[in-house]
């Protein structure tokens, strides 16, 4: 079994990344801009802070 040469694989990956970057630039020029942050991530952060706040309030009421 012959293994592929690591530099050849790196060259292929570089070409693939160049093509993907070119596609992103073309889409951006057409006005198809990606969202900067997914809304689910923002909601997870908000819910996490609320959950920690509720736990903190409960621990204060209990007196721990």
């Amino acid at each position: 079994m012959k293994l592929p040469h690591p530099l050849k694989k790196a060259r292929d990956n570089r070409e693939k990344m160049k093509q993907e970057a070119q596609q992103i630039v073309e889409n951006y020029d057409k006005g198809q801009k990606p969202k900067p942050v997914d809304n689910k991530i923002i909601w997870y952060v908000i819910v996490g802070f609320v959950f920690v706040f509720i736990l903190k309030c409960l621990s204060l009421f209990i007196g721990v």
Side-chain angles (χ1 to χ4, degrees), residues 3-20:
L3 295 174
H5 194 275
L7 295 179
K8 184 172 189 253
K9 190 170 188 175
R11 187 181 317 119
D12 293 342
N13 286 342
R14 191 179 318 114
E15 292 299 323
K16 183 180 174 185
M17 288 176 68
K18 282 182 183 177
Q19 290 174 356
E20 290 174 357

Side-chain angles (χ1 to χ4, degrees), residues 25-34:
V25 169
E26 289 174 1
N27 287 345
Y28 189 82
D29 290 341
K30 290 178 186 174
Q32 299 173 355
K33 299 176 183 175

Side-chain angles (χ1 to χ4, degrees), residues 44-55:
Y44 287 144
V45 170
I46 292 171
V47 169
F49 277 119
V50 169
F51 182 70
V52 170
F53 180 74
I54 291 171
L55 288 178

Side-chain angles (χ1 to χ4, degrees), residues 38-48:
D38 190 15
N39 286 341
K40 282 194 283 187
I41 296 172
I42 295 171
W43 281 112
Y44 287 144
V45 170
I46 292 171
V47 169

